[in-house]
Tab-separated table of all heavy atoms in Angstrom:
chain	number	residue	atom	x	y	z
A	1386	ARG	N	27.359	-102.572	-181.110
A	1386	ARG	CA	26.613	-103.759	-180.686
A	1386	ARG	C	25.554	-103.300	-179.692
A	1386	ARG	O	25.867	-102.629	-178.715
A	1386	ARG	CB	27.538	-104.774	-180.031
A	1386	ARG	CG	28.417	-105.490	-181.026
A	1386	ARG	CD	29.167	-106.639	-180.368
A	1386	ARG	NE	29.706	-107.518	-181.380
A	1386	ARG	CZ	30.988	-107.821	-181.484
A	1386	ARG	NH1	31.862	-107.329	-180.636
A	1386	ARG	NH2	31.399	-108.632	-182.432
A	1387	LEU	N	24.320	-103.659	-179.960
A	1387	LEU	CA	23.213	-103.363	-179.047
A	1387	LEU	C	22.738	-104.665	-178.421
A	1387	LEU	O	22.956	-105.740	-178.993
A	1387	LEU	CB	22.046	-102.732	-179.821
A	1387	LEU	CG	22.279	-101.381	-180.484
A	1387	LEU	CD1	21.031	-100.960	-181.263
A	1387	LEU	CD2	22.648	-100.324	-179.466
A	1388	PRO	N	22.046	-104.590	-177.289
A	1388	PRO	CA	21.410	-105.808	-176.776
A	1388	PRO	C	20.471	-106.375	-177.841
A	1388	PRO	O	19.886	-105.621	-178.631
A	1388	PRO	CB	20.634	-105.314	-175.555
A	1388	PRO	CG	21.319	-104.048	-175.148
A	1388	PRO	CD	21.837	-103.435	-176.418
A	1389	LEU	N	20.331	-107.677	-177.845
A	1389	LEU	CA	19.547	-108.351	-178.882
A	1389	LEU	C	18.137	-107.779	-179.000
A	1389	LEU	O	17.664	-107.506	-180.112
A	1389	LEU	CB	19.490	-109.855	-178.606
A	1389	LEU	CG	18.772	-110.697	-179.652
A	1389	LEU	CD1	19.457	-110.590	-181.011
A	1389	LEU	CD2	18.714	-112.150	-179.206
A	1390	ALA	N	17.460	-107.562	-177.878
A	1390	ALA	CA	16.086	-107.040	-177.928
A	1390	ALA	C	16.048	-105.640	-178.529
A	1390	ALA	O	15.143	-105.318	-179.316
A	1390	ALA	CB	15.474	-107.031	-176.531
A	1391	ALA	N	17.023	-104.807	-178.185
A	1391	ALA	CA	17.063	-103.444	-178.741
A	1391	ALA	C	17.324	-103.483	-180.239
A	1391	ALA	O	16.687	-102.754	-181.020
A	1391	ALA	CB	18.129	-102.618	-178.030
A	1392	GLY	N	18.250	-104.326	-180.666
A	1392	GLY	CA	18.535	-104.451	-182.099
A	1392	GLY	C	17.337	-104.976	-182.868
A	1392	GLY	O	17.005	-104.478	-183.944
A	1393	ALA	N	16.661	-105.982	-182.302
A	1393	ALA	CA	15.474	-106.540	-182.964
A	1393	ALA	C	14.358	-105.503	-183.026
A	1393	ALA	O	13.665	-105.399	-184.047
A	1393	ALA	CB	14.999	-107.792	-182.231
A	1394	GLY	N	14.189	-104.733	-181.964
A	1394	GLY	CA	13.172	-103.677	-181.978
A	1394	GLY	C	13.470	-102.619	-183.017
A	1394	GLY	O	12.575	-102.175	-183.745
A	1395	LEU	N	14.730	-102.220	-183.106
A	1395	LEU	CA	15.125	-101.195	-184.069
A	1395	LEU	C	14.887	-101.660	-185.502
A	1395	LEU	O	14.255	-100.944	-186.300
A	1395	LEU	CB	16.600	-100.838	-183.867
A	1395	LEU	CG	17.162	-99.756	-184.768
A	1395	LEU	CD1	16.506	-98.409	-184.464
A	1395	LEU	CD2	18.667	-99.660	-184.597
A	1396	VAL	N	15.365	-102.860	-185.848
A	1396	VAL	CA	15.171	-103.320	-187.222
A	1396	VAL	C	13.697	-103.570	-187.519
A	1396	VAL	O	13.253	-103.401	-188.660
A	1396	VAL	CB	16.038	-104.554	-187.585
A	1396	VAL	CG1	17.515	-104.241	-187.473
A	1396	VAL	CG2	15.667	-105.778	-186.800
A	1397	SER	N	12.920	-103.919	-186.496
A	1397	SER	CA	11.479	-104.126	-186.708
A	1397	SER	C	10.776	-102.814	-187.057
A	1397	SER	O	9.896	-102.790	-187.928
A	1397	SER	CB	10.843	-104.745	-185.464
A	1397	SER	OG	11.330	-106.045	-185.262
A	1398	VAL	N	11.151	-101.741	-186.387
A	1398	VAL	CA	10.560	-100.429	-186.721
A	1398	VAL	C	10.899	-100.066	-188.156
A	1398	VAL	O	10.027	-99.651	-188.930
A	1398	VAL	CB	11.053	-99.341	-185.735
A	1398	VAL	CG1	10.679	-97.952	-186.226
A	1398	VAL	CG2	10.486	-99.587	-184.343
A	1399	PHE	N	12.151	-100.235	-188.535
A	1399	PHE	CA	12.547	-99.942	-189.913
A	1399	PHE	C	11.799	-100.837	-190.897
A	1399	PHE	O	11.388	-100.401	-191.972
A	1399	PHE	CB	14.054	-100.114	-190.093
A	1399	PHE	CG	14.888	-99.115	-189.348
A	1399	PHE	CD1	16.166	-99.436	-188.943
A	1399	PHE	CD2	14.412	-97.839	-189.056
A	1399	PHE	CE1	16.958	-98.525	-188.262
A	1399	PHE	CE2	15.193	-96.918	-188.371
A	1399	PHE	CZ	16.470	-97.259	-187.975
A	1400	ALA	N	11.616	-102.096	-190.531
A	1400	ALA	CA	10.955	-103.056	-191.411
A	1400	ALA	C	9.501	-102.685	-191.666
A	1400	ALA	O	8.970	-102.952	-192.753
A	1400	ALA	CB	11.048	-104.453	-190.819
A	1401	LEU	N	8.851	-102.069	-190.695
A	1401	LEU	CA	7.467	-101.628	-190.915
A	1401	LEU	C	7.388	-100.666	-192.096
A	1401	LEU	O	6.496	-100.774	-192.941
A	1401	LEU	CB	6.900	-100.966	-189.657
A	1401	LEU	CG	6.465	-101.905	-188.549
A	1401	LEU	CD1	6.094	-101.109	-187.300
A	1401	LEU	CD2	5.298	-102.776	-188.993
A	1402	PHE	N	8.324	-99.718	-192.166
A	1402	PHE	CA	8.332	-98.766	-193.282
A	1402	PHE	C	8.575	-99.481	-194.611
A	1402	PHE	O	7.906	-99.201	-195.611
A	1402	PHE	CB	9.404	-97.684	-193.059
A	1402	PHE	CG	9.052	-96.718	-191.970
A	1402	PHE	CD1	9.650	-96.802	-190.728
A	1402	PHE	CD2	8.108	-95.725	-192.178
A	1402	PHE	CE1	9.335	-95.920	-189.717
A	1402	PHE	CE2	7.776	-94.832	-191.179
A	1402	PHE	CZ	8.386	-94.929	-189.934
A	1403	HIS	N	9.534	-100.403	-194.618
A	1403	HIS	CA	9.801	-101.162	-195.847
A	1403	HIS	C	8.590	-102.006	-196.237
A	1403	HIS	O	8.248	-102.093	-197.410
A	1403	HIS	CB	11.045	-102.040	-195.672
A	1403	HIS	CG	12.312	-101.268	-195.658
A	1403	HIS	ND1	13.020	-100.969	-196.793
A	1403	HIS	CD2	12.989	-100.704	-194.624
A	1403	HIS	CE1	14.092	-100.271	-196.472
A	1403	HIS	NE2	14.093	-100.091	-195.150
A	1404	GLY	N	7.939	-102.608	-195.257
A	1404	GLY	CA	6.763	-103.428	-195.535
A	1404	GLY	C	5.613	-102.621	-196.096
A	1404	GLY	O	4.933	-103.055	-197.034
A	1405	VAL	N	5.386	-101.438	-195.535
A	1405	VAL	CA	4.324	-100.566	-196.064
A	1405	VAL	C	4.635	-100.192	-197.510
A	1405	VAL	O	3.757	-100.211	-198.371
A	1405	VAL	CB	4.135	-99.325	-195.172
A	1405	VAL	CG1	3.280	-98.272	-195.866
A	1405	VAL	CG2	3.510	-99.715	-193.833
A	1406	ALA	N	5.897	-99.867	-197.791
A	1406	ALA	CA	6.272	-99.526	-199.174
A	1406	ALA	C	6.071	-100.711	-200.102
A	1406	ALA	O	5.570	-100.559	-201.220
A	1406	ALA	CB	7.720	-99.055	-199.226
A	1407	HIS	N	6.443	-101.904	-199.653
A	1407	HIS	CA	6.243	-103.101	-200.486
A	1407	HIS	C	4.758	-103.356	-200.715
A	1407	HIS	O	4.328	-103.639	-201.830
A	1407	HIS	CB	6.868	-104.335	-199.835
A	1407	HIS	CG	8.357	-104.366	-199.855
A	1407	HIS	ND1	9.110	-103.962	-200.922
A	1407	HIS	CD2	9.240	-104.772	-198.903
A	1407	HIS	CE1	10.385	-104.123	-200.648
A	1407	HIS	NE2	10.488	-104.604	-199.421
A	1408	GLY	N	3.979	-103.258	-199.662
A	1408	GLY	CA	2.540	-103.496	-199.783
A	1408	GLY	C	1.860	-102.462	-200.649
A	1408	GLY	O	0.970	-102.786	-201.441
A	1409	ALA	N	2.284	-101.211	-200.553
A	1409	ALA	CA	1.707	-100.148	-201.381
A	1409	ALA	C	2.120	-100.300	-202.836
A	1409	ALA	O	1.434	-99.811	-203.730
A	1409	ALA	CB	2.142	-98.781	-200.859
A	1410	GLY	N	3.245	-101.007	-203.076
A	1410	GLY	CA	3.725	-101.199	-204.439
A	1410	GLY	C	3.043	-102.333	-205.166
A	1410	GLY	O	3.384	-102.641	-206.304
A	1411	LEU	N	2.071	-102.957	-204.529
A	1411	LEU	CA	1.385	-104.085	-205.149
A	1411	LEU	C	0.605	-103.650	-206.379
A	1411	LEU	O	-0.270	-102.801	-206.306
A	1411	LEU	CB	0.427	-104.716	-204.135
A	1411	LEU	CG	-0.442	-105.860	-204.639
A	1411	LEU	CD1	0.421	-107.047	-204.999
A	1411	LEU	CD2	-1.460	-106.239	-203.595
A	1412	PRO	N	0.915	-104.216	-207.537
A	1412	PRO	CA	0.115	-103.906	-208.724
A	1412	PRO	C	-1.334	-104.358	-208.516
A	1412	PRO	O	-1.574	-105.366	-207.861
A	1412	PRO	CB	0.777	-104.726	-209.831
A	1412	PRO	CG	2.133	-105.050	-209.312
A	1412	PRO	CD	2.011	-105.110	-207.813
A	1413	GLU	N	-2.256	-103.638	-209.060
A	1413	GLU	CA	-3.672	-103.937	-208.825
A	1413	GLU	C	-4.063	-105.341	-209.257
A	1413	GLU	O	-4.891	-105.979	-208.626
A	1413	GLU	CB	-4.552	-102.904	-209.533
A	1413	GLU	CG	-4.559	-101.585	-208.812
A	1413	GLU	CD	-5.623	-100.661	-209.335
A	1413	GLU	OE1	-6.640	-101.136	-209.862
A	1413	GLU	OE2	-5.421	-99.459	-209.215
A	1414	ALA	N	-3.476	-105.841	-210.312
A	1414	ALA	CA	-3.858	-107.162	-210.811
A	1414	ALA	C	-3.089	-108.294	-210.139
A	1414	ALA	O	-3.339	-109.455	-210.392
A	1414	ALA	CB	-3.620	-107.230	-212.315
A	1415	ALA	N	-2.162	-107.967	-209.266
A	1415	ALA	CA	-1.280	-108.984	-208.704
A	1415	ALA	C	-1.955	-109.803	-207.622
A	1415	ALA	O	-2.880	-109.358	-206.964
A	1415	ALA	CB	-0.040	-108.319	-208.134
A	1416	SER	N	-1.442	-110.988	-207.437
A	1416	SER	CA	-1.840	-111.827	-206.312
A	1416	SER	C	-1.104	-111.324	-205.077
A	1416	SER	O	0.125	-111.340	-205.056
A	1416	SER	CB	-1.448	-113.279	-206.584
A	1416	SER	OG	-1.374	-113.987	-205.371
A	1417	PRO	N	-1.803	-110.871	-204.051
A	1417	PRO	CA	-1.105	-110.369	-202.856
A	1417	PRO	C	-0.205	-111.418	-202.223
A	1417	PRO	O	0.865	-111.113	-201.739
A	1417	PRO	CB	-2.236	-109.982	-201.905
A	1417	PRO	CG	-3.457	-109.881	-202.722
A	1417	PRO	CD	-3.247	-110.751	-203.930
A	1418	TYR	N	-0.644	-112.692	-202.232
A	1418	TYR	CA	0.157	-113.745	-201.611
A	1418	TYR	C	1.426	-114.037	-202.410
A	1418	TYR	O	2.500	-114.224	-201.835
A	1418	TYR	CB	-0.677	-115.013	-201.430
A	1418	TYR	CG	-1.875	-114.787	-200.550
A	1418	TYR	CD1	-3.161	-114.820	-201.075
A	1418	TYR	CD2	-1.720	-114.495	-199.201
A	1418	TYR	CE1	-4.268	-114.592	-200.272
A	1418	TYR	CE2	-2.823	-114.258	-198.385
A	1418	TYR	CZ	-4.090	-114.309	-198.929
A	1418	TYR	OH	-5.172	-114.074	-198.129
A	1419	GLY	N	1.311	-114.072	-203.720
A	1419	GLY	CA	2.492	-114.280	-204.559
A	1419	GLY	C	3.468	-113.122	-204.457
A	1419	GLY	O	4.682	-113.319	-204.360
A	1420	TYR	N	2.923	-111.910	-204.461
A	1420	TYR	CA	3.752	-110.714	-204.335
A	1420	TYR	C	4.495	-110.728	-203.000
A	1420	TYR	O	5.704	-110.498	-202.937
A	1420	TYR	CB	2.868	-109.476	-204.449
A	1420	TYR	CG	3.600	-108.166	-204.438
A	1420	TYR	CD1	4.264	-107.703	-205.564
A	1420	TYR	CD2	3.607	-107.374	-203.299
A	1420	TYR	CE1	4.925	-106.486	-205.560
A	1420	TYR	CE2	4.266	-106.157	-203.280
A	1420	TYR	CZ	4.919	-105.711	-204.410
A	1420	TYR	OH	5.568	-104.510	-204.400
A	1421	ALA	N	3.774	-111.015	-201.909
A	1421	ALA	CA	4.386	-111.055	-200.580
A	1421	ALA	C	5.454	-112.140	-200.512
A	1421	ALA	O	6.544	-111.922	-199.968
A	1421	ALA	CB	3.325	-111.272	-199.519
Side-chain angles (χ1 to χ4, degrees):
R1386 286 189 165 123
L1387 296 177
L1389 183 61
L1395 182 66
V1396 298
S1397 294
V1398 169
F1399 293 153
L1401 282 173
F1402 289 104
H1403 288 271
V1405 167
H1407 288 320
L1411 176 66
E1413 285 192 27
S1416 159
Y1418 300 111
Y1420 184 78

